[in-house]
Structures are given as C-alpha cells and as structure tokens.
C-alpha cells in the first residue's frame, strides 16, 4: 500500500486494540478529524457540483463500454473550480495529510492550483481503451493478482466514493486473458476494527492442497498497520466473489522497534526446506529500508526471524516489497518457492521517499533467511528500476497456467487533483508484463507486455529503411495515433560512430535539455501524441554518448516538457541508460493508449511509462513522427505500427 509521508513511532511497542468498534467510545480514526462539520459541508458542496457535471457531461454508467465514444462537445467543465463560487483556499481542504494516512496527491504549485479549462472532449479522450481501470473513482495499488480455476483475478485499492484517495476497499475484476475484463463487486470492505481505516495491499498464496489464502494490511481504528488473513467463502466459485476474514485477525502486529505506521504489504509466501512458510513485510528503522521475515505453519501464528531479509541504509520506508525467483537457464517463470544453483532471486521495493520501484538480483540463503545482492553498488533502492517513468506499488504473481511471472503496477495521474475530480476517475493499471532474467547481460531482468495484448492489433503499417537526416522530422501516416502498438529499429552507421570525437561531457536524461538538446549522436527516435503544428509532442528517444576513451553509453529517454499546453500537468523528463550489446540494433516498442505511453528499449531491458494530457494532439489530431536531432549522424529506421482495438471491459 502506497501511503506517502507516514508517521513513525520507532521504539514504541504496540498494544492490542479492542475487539469491537464500540469499545470505550474509540471511534475510528477517520471519524475524528478537526473541523469535521466545516470540512464535510465544503467537500460535500464540491462533490455535489462535480457529480452534477459528471452526470450532465460524463460517460453513461448504464453502458458496459467504458471507452471513449463519439467526440463530446467542447463545453468547458472544469473551470468552475477556479470561479468565485469556491476560492482556492477552499480547494485545499480537499487534500489529505498524514492524519488521514496519506499525503496530498498534488504538490508544489499544483496544490490548490487553478485548473486548466479542460473541456469534456479533452477529458473524455484521456480515458484509456485497453488498459485496466474502473469506470469511475480512485484506484491505486494492485493486490494479490492470481490465476484460479480458469480466471485471472485482479484485486486493487479502490475508493468507491470519489476520484481521490480514501475509503480504501478491494476492487475486483476477472479476465480470461489479462486484457478483457469483467468488473465484480467489491471483494473486501473496510468493516472491522482492524481494517476500518483501509483494506490495504496484500498477496495471495496457494497451499499444497490447492487452498487459497490472502494476507493483507489493515489500517486499524487507531491507524496502526496490522496484517490480516482472509480466504474465499466458496472455494468452488471460480470468480471468488465473496471473502471471509479470519475471526482471529490481526495475525501480525508491528513488533517492538518498528513504527506503528511502518509495517505493511505482506508478500506471497514461499516454503522453506523444512516445509514451513515464510513471508516478508516492508518497514524501516530510521532511514534504513528493511524487509522483515516471518515464518509460519498455518498463517495464523507467526515467528519473527532474527535480523532482516535485507536492508539498505538511506532508502527510507520500503513498501510493496516483492521477492521471487527467476531462472538463469529456462525462459519460463518460476513458482515463488523455487530455489537452487540455477536460480537468482529478485528483491524489489517501492520506496515511499521517491515513489519509484527498485529491484536487484541476488542470492537467497534459505537456511539463514538472508538475501545478498550480486552487486551492492546497484542494491535495492540505489540501482535498477522496473521502469524509469511513472510506475509504482508493483506486484508480481506466478501464472501456473502459462508458466510465467506477471508484473502489475499502479500508474498514477500527473495532472492536478482538481482535474481528476472533474474527470471523475484517477489512475490506471499498467499493461501486465512478463518478467525474465536477461541471460545476455546477466545483470538485469527483462519486462515485456504479455503476449495477449497483441490480439488487439489491427491495420498494420510498415515503414522500411527510412533515412532520417540530422535535424529532420519525418511524418508517419497511420491515421489517428491514439491507440497504437509500435515496433521500431534504428541503425546508426558504425563507421560514423568511430569517426565522431568523444567528449568529457556527461549526459543524463533527466538533467539534460530534453529532446531539443542536440548532440553529435542524438537524440533520435519517435514523436508520439503530436499535433500537426508540433506545438504538443511527446518524444521517446535514444541518445548515444561517446567519451574521450572511445566508450559508448546509450540512454533511453522520454521528454514530456512539450507534451501538453495545459498548466496543471507535470511535464518531466524520464530515462536512464540501457545496455546495448555488440552487434545489436537499437530497438524500441511503444504502446500508446490515449493518456498513457509505455515504452520498452532493447526488448525490455529498460522501460519508461508516462501519463500525457495533450489539449490539441487528441482524437484525429494525434500524429506520429520520426525525428533526429543529432548533429553528426543520420539514422535509418524500420517501423511497424498497428492500430489497437479496444479491450472489452464489462460491468458487474
């Protein structure tokens, strides 16, 4: 569960909470906020006005199709939040802080900022067509994804009441193929003293007899983070519509020395050589991020092992920890309990401090209960990331049906909170990705969209050996470019590379001048979600840097600084290096789905996900181009582009 800026109570032992919500007048924490009446009146007024707009202009909730339909009218629907009716000081009361368990979504000048005058046409375009999202309201972390009796299950953090964080329950959807989904009723409500302030992130474990259990974090009536056990009410139901919470919950409370709000997100369990089960839970001690390890036989009684699975100083709170094996030999994914000499273990943490997902490869000693990184220089939180863009609170599961490990992640909004309220929904899930060990480099994993997404492809366009000269832009005529799957290869003349002089200058995607900064060997790549005038453009590109000794480093970047003319949108530059081996062409795959762009370099060694909110480059005005801003090289590009059909996402 991603909860920014949580308070710490290091060294304070946890006292057992009452078994009833009615004990001694201990009302749930969410009902004990200062100035409640004033807050409720103001937020109620805003909610009523937003609901009125949503009903008048929004999507039709009676339809199973949640994708944008005909182009809506141009009326401005968001400017009322900047009117005299609700001054900006009132807007700030809508944000949440530490007392509520989460910091404000909007920071800096976006906090209470007057929103851009979005029209319904613009807002409707932002809804995706083949990424999973609820029909309305707020969504964040994926929970306990699994495959059960012919169905893939996605549980997720969900606010059924508004497009902002709060009132968190477990949303639930099922799919036969990870692409087309059917929404189901809420799986677990926040209805017990041990989870009344939120049914937060959890993980599923299958027992040897086929039984399924779920461990999840609950935020109690005292806003303490505890771990709880749940199981299907009817194991014969393949859609797992109803869940029972164990009557002895919570099964784990914060141990001495751990902050009461620094104990969350249990992993899928794995077995020990002795036949016991282990889980790990994220936490911190001062500024050292750690993963605690517990052992159990029945998932009701747990023993805390001495020490930690691993910890890294300076990384802060570890949340949404994940721990799983990858094979060094076979292509298949592995069950979470696999171990041995042909196996590496991935330890991943979502860092609460910087909101990114980091991982490292290492070796797991089952006897000692410890994990050691292969390379401490790129340890968890200071080295590799799953994705160098907008990608957080991820969770994997082992798909026993297709013998693969599948990765999900929460893709948050990067616009203003006011715009989210106008739109009526916030956040997406990434396209599910497979995870494999990169046998060629031996130093990283590869993430790649699941094969099923290719079933949405239609209307292929191919552009072979297109020469893009220095300083030029080449349009690619494919019609509307808002739902695309793009595969591209770029060739650079090796003789030219050798002749170009090296430099002692350093390069960094984030600190650079973006795609407009010209170097001898880059940048070059694609412009997606770009209008005809190029006033709005989203470049995805490579940049090759050559040092004075003749060594090359290749960077993969995504520049959002000119992606939108809206003023209430974060427009960052994302990126990192990408390993390119001798003889390899530069390769790029990009999935464009309205307001989300997911890109993968070198078959998935480096990935970047971004949210894009153009005001002009939408519908038929969204175009795609090749570009080359290098000064000394021409680039030859070969590209395949498919239009993507919409996924079928149905209501209950």
């Amino acid at each position: 569960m991603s909860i920014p800026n949580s308070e710490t109570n290091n060294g304070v032992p946890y006292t057992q909470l009452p078994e009833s919500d009615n004990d001694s007048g201990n009302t749930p924490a969410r009902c004990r906020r200062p100035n409640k009446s004033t807050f409720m009146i103001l937020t109620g007024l805003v909610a009523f006005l937003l609901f009125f707009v949503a009903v008048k202009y929004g999507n039709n909730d009676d339809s199973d199709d949640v994708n944008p339909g005909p182009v809506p009218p141009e009326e401005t629907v968001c400017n009322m939040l900047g009117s005299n009716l609700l001054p900006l000081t009132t807007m700030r009361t809508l944000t949440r802080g530490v007392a509520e368990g989460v910091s404000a979504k909007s920071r800096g000048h976006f906090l209470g900022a007057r929103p851009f005058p979005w029209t319904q046409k613009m807002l409707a375009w932002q809804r995706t067509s083949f990424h999973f999202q609820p029909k309305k309201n707020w969504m964040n972390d994926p929970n306990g994804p699994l495959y059960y009796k012919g169905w893939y299950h996605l549980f997720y953090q969900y606010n059924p009441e508004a497009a902002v964080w709060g009132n968190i329950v477990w949303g639930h959807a099922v799919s036969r193929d990870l692409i087309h989904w059917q929404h189901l009723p809420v799986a677990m409500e926040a209805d017990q003293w041990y989870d009344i302030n939120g049914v937060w992130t959890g993980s599923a474990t299958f027992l040897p007899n086929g039984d399924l259990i779920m461990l999840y974090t609950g935020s109690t009536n005292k806003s303490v983070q505890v771990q709880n056990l749940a199981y299907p009410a009817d194991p014969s139901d393949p859609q797992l519509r109803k869940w029972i919470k164990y009557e002895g919950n919570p099964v784990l409370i914060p141990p001495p020395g751990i902050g009461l709000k620094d104990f969350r997100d249990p992993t899928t369990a794995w077995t020990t050589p002795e036949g016991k089960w282990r889980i790990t839970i994220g936490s911190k001690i001062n500024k050292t991020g750690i993963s605690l390890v517990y052992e159990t036989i029945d998932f009701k009684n747990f023993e805390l092992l001495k020490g930690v699975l691993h910890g890294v100083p300076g990384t802060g709170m570890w949340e949404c920890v994940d721990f799983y094996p990858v094979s060094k030999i076979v292509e298949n994914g592995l069950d979470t309990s696999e171990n041995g000499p042909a196996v590496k273990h991935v330890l991943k943490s979502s860092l609460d401090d910087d909101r990114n997902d980091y991982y490292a490869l290492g070796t797991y000693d089952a006897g000692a209960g410890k994990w050691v990184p292969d390379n401490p220089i790129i340890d968890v939180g200071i080295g590799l990331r799953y994705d160098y863009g907008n990608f957080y609170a991820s969770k994997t599961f082992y798909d026993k049906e297709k013998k693969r490990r599948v990765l999900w992640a929460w893709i948050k909004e990067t616009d203003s909170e006011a715009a989210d309220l106008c739109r009526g929904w916030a956040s997406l899930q990434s396209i599910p990705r497979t995870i494999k060990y990169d046998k060629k480099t031996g130093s990283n994993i590869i993430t790649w969209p699941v094969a099923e997404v290719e079933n949405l492809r239609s209307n292929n366009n191919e552009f072979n050996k297109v020469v893009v000269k220095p300083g030029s832009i080449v349009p690619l005529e494919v019609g509307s470019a808002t739902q695309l799957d793009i595969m591209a290869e770029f060739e650079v003349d090796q003789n030219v590379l050798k002749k170009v002089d090296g430099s002692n200058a350093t390069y960094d995607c984030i600190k650079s001048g973006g795609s407009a900064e010209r170097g001898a060997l880059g940048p070059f790549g694609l412009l997606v979600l770009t209008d005809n005038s190029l006033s709005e453009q989203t470049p995805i590109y490579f940049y090759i840097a050559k040092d004075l000794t003749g060594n090359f480093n290749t960077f993969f970047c995504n520049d959002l600084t000119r992606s939108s003319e809206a003023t209430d949108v974060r427009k960052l530059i994302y990126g990192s290096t990408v390993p390119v081996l001798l003889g390899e062409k530069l390769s790029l795959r990009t999935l464009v789905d309205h307001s989300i762009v997911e890109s993968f370099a070198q078959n998935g060694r480096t990935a970047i996900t971004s949210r894009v909110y153009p005001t002009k480059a939408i519908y038929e005005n969204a175009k795609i181009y090749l570009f080359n801003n290098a000064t000394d090289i021409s680039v030859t590009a070969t590209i395949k582009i498919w239009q993507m059909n919409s996924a079928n996402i149905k209501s209950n």
Side-chain angles (χ1 to χ4, degrees):
M1 172 66 189
S2 49
I3 324 168
N5 301 337
S6 57
E7 291 179 327
T8 302
N9 292 284
N10 290 330
V12 181
Y14 173 69
T15 303
Q16 178 66 44
L17 297 177
E19 296 182 357
S20 169
D21 293 341
N22 299 319
D23 184 81
S24 303
N26 286 323
T27 47
R30 65 177 180 180
C31 296
R32 295 185 284 107
R33 298 172 185 168
N35 301 320
K36 177 183 175 185
S37 298
T38 302
F39 177 82
M40 292 297 293
I41 292 171
L42 293 171
T43 55
L45 177 58
V46 173
F48 172 79
L49 291 170
L50 293 171
F51 175 75
F52 172 80
V53 172
V55 170
K56 183 174 181 180
Y57 297 107
N59 292 336
N60 184 357
D61 280 347
D62 295 331
S63 170
D64 285 347
D65 185 2
V66 300
N67 300 315
V71 177
E74 292 279 2
E75 291 92 350
T76 297
V77 298
C78 207
N79 62 358
M80 66 175 183
L81 291 174
S83 71
N84 294 328
L85 179 63
L86 289 174
L88 299 183
T89 52
T90 300
M91 283 294 300
R92 292 190 179 94
T93 66
L94 292 175
T95 62
R96 281 131 336 269
V98 172
E100 292 77 28
V102 66
S103 64
K105 169 186 177 279
S106 300
R107 297 186 177 95
H109 70 277
F110 294 103
L111 181 59
R114 192 179 300 273
F116 182 81
W118 295 100
T119 67
Q120 179 60 14
K121 177 180 178 180
M122 299 173 188
L123 295 176
W125 178 89
Q126 292 172 9
R127 189 169 186 91
T128 62
S129 291
F130 55 90
H131 284 72
F132 178 84
Q133 60 184 128
K135 294 187 70 173
K136 58 183 179 180
N137 298 330
W138 169 274
M139 171 180 64
N140 56 289
D141 311 3
N143 303 313
L146 56 96
Y147 180 83
Y148 189 79
K149 296 183 184 297
W151 291 92
Y152 292 100
H153 291 255
L154 175 63
F155 304 91
Y156 54 92
Q157 306 281 274
Y158 180 58
N159 181 358
E161 299 179 17
V164 295
W165 188 92
N167 313 302
I168 296 298
V169 299
W170 272 31
H172 186 196
V174 293
S175 172
R176 294 286 193 183
D177 62 1
L178 292 172
I179 301 299
H180 305 287
W181 292 90
Q182 177 185 348
H183 289 291
L184 295 179
V186 166
M188 283 196 280
E189 301 274 4
D191 56 7
Q192 302 296 320
W193 71 265
Y194 51 77
D195 62 12
I196 195 66
N197 275 315
V199 183
W200 290 353
T201 299
S203 299
T205 298
F206 284 96
L207 306 183
N209 63 0
D211 287 351
L212 172 63
I213 63 99
M214 193 79 74
L215 289 174
Y216 72 92
T217 297
S219 181
T220 74
N221 57 356
K222 302 289 187 181
S223 294
V224 176
Q225 294 166 15
V226 299
Q227 313 312 317
N228 304 304
L229 173 65
Y231 49 90
D234 180 8
S236 66
D237 174 15
Q239 294 195 339
L240 300 172
R241 287 174 174 261
K242 295 183 179 180
W243 289 77
I244 295 174
K245 298 175 184 178
Y246 172 51
E247 61 184 6
N249 281 337
V251 295
L252 279 172
I253 60 177
I258 294 299
L260 303 186
K261 296 183 180 181
D262 299 330
F263 183 66
R264 54 185 178 267
D265 311 333
T267 63
T268 295
W270 67 92
T271 55
T272 69
E274 297 76 29
K276 295 182 179 180
W277 292 94
R278 285 179 183 167
I279 63 168
T280 184
I281 296 173
S283 188
K284 69 175 180 178
I285 296 178
N286 297 319
K287 289 294 291 182
T288 296
I290 61 173
S291 48
L292 302 166
V293 180
Y294 286 87
E295 201 164 76
T296 184
I297 296 175
D298 58 6
F299 291 91
K300 299 174 183 177
N301 302 282
F302 290 82
E303 176 187 358
L304 175 62
L305 301 188
K306 292 182 179 179
V308 297
L309 179 67
H310 192 58
V312 180
T315 55
M317 176 66 194
W318 283 13
E319 56 182 4
C320 302
V321 171
D322 206 359
F323 184 63
Y324 57 88
V326 289
S327 174
K328 296 191 293 182
I329 299 172
V330 301
E331 293 294 311
N332 290 343
L334 299 177
D335 179 86
T336 308
S337 295
E338 290 282 343
N339 201 359
V343 169
K344 286 289 182 184
H345 271 78
V346 175
L347 179 60
K348 166 260 165 181
S349 175
S350 301
L351 295 195
D352 195 23
D353 284 0
D354 73 2
R355 315 258 82 195
N356 292 308
D357 278 18
Y358 292 84
Y359 79 91
L361 289 163
T363 301
Y364 172 57
D365 184 339
K370 306 291 183 183
W371 175 89
V372 178
D374 289 348
N375 183 356
I377 296 176
I378 52 173
D379 205 343
V380 180
I382 58 176
L384 301 173
R385 285 166 50 180
Y386 278 163
D387 189 294
Y388 289 85
N390 178 352
F391 191 94
Y392 194 66
S394 61
K395 172 73 66 177
T396 69
F397 76 100
Y398 175 63
D399 177 5
K400 61 183 179 180
E401 176 69 9
K402 295 196 173 181
K403 294 181 172 56
R404 59 185 175 178
R405 183 157 291 274
V406 178
L407 169 69
W408 284 93
W410 168 40
I411 314 300
K412 66 182 182 294
E413 304 296 332
T414 54
D415 60 350
S416 67
E417 188 169 86
D420 296 347
L421 290 165
C422 289
R423 194 173 50 234
W425 57 268
S427 303
L428 316 168
Q429 295 293 323
S430 65
I431 285 293
R433 305 176 184 180
T434 57
I435 287 181
K436 296 179 181 179
Y437 176 75
D438 190 344
K439 292 185 288 186
K440 291 183 178 180
T441 65
S443 60
N444 57 272
I445 60 172
I446 289 173
T447 68
W448 195 249
V450 293
E452 289 90 333
V453 74
E454 296 172 18
N455 295 330
L456 297 177
R457 289 173 170 175
S458 66
N459 299 336
N460 176 281
N461 288 274
E462 296 190 23
F463 305 87
N464 294 311
K465 302 292 184 180
V466 179
V467 177
V468 190
K469 296 180 179 181
S472 64
I473 296 175
V474 178
L476 300 175
E477 298 298 336
V478 298
S480 177
T482 63
Q483 292 178 212
L484 301 177
D485 189 351
I486 307 162
M487 300 282 284
E489 286 187 342
F490 299 91
E491 297 178 70
V492 179
D493 190 316
Q494 295 298 310
N495 292 324
V496 174
L497 287 180
K498 293 176 182 178
K499 293 178 181 178
V500 171
D501 292 333
S503 169
N504 62 0
T506 59
Y507 186 80
D508 183 299
C509 291
I510 298 171
K511 297 178 182 178
S512 75
S515 60
E517 179 180 311
R518 304 190 68 181
L521 305 176
F524 56 85
L526 298 173
L527 302 179
V528 301
L529 298 179
T530 301
D531 69 326
N532 285 320
S533 68
L534 305 180
S535 61
E536 290 185 332
Q537 55 180 269
T538 299
I540 304 156
Y541 56 94
F542 293 99
Y543 189 104
I544 303 173
K546 184 179 182 180
D547 64 25
L548 292 174
T549 61
N551 294 317
F552 293 95
N553 279 316
T554 303
F555 295 83
F556 182 55
C557 315
N558 184 192
D559 180 0
L560 305 184
T561 57
R562 291 173 288 171
S563 62
S564 175
E565 293 189 355
T567 53
D568 59 350
V569 172
R570 290 189 183 91
K571 290 171 271 194
L572 306 175
I573 302 174
Y574 298 127
S576 182
T577 57
V578 57
V580 180
L581 305 185
L582 184 65
E584 290 183 341
K585 297 178 182 178
L586 296 178
S587 66
L588 162 65
R589 182 181 184 182
T590 292
L591 295 173
V592 178
D593 187 7
H594 295 261
S595 62
I596 184 171
V597 178
E598 294 186 74
S599 300
F600 306 84
Q602 299 310 105
N603 297 310
R605 287 184 189 140
T606 299
I608 303 173
T609 297
S610 60
R611 297 300 305 280
V612 184
Y613 308 89
T615 63
K616 297 178 179 178
I618 58 178
Y619 299 105
E620 69 281 356
N621 295 321
K623 306 298 180 183
I624 180 172
Y625 297 81
L626 285 166
F627 83 98
N628 179 11
N629 257 350
T631 59
D632 290 18
I633 57 167
S634 293
V635 177
T636 301
T638 297
I639 305 174
K640 293 183 180 180
I641 302 176
W642 292 267
Q643 294 286 342
M644 294 291 279
N645 293 322
S646 298
N648 185 13
I649 302 179
K650 297 182 178 180
S651 301
N652 298 338

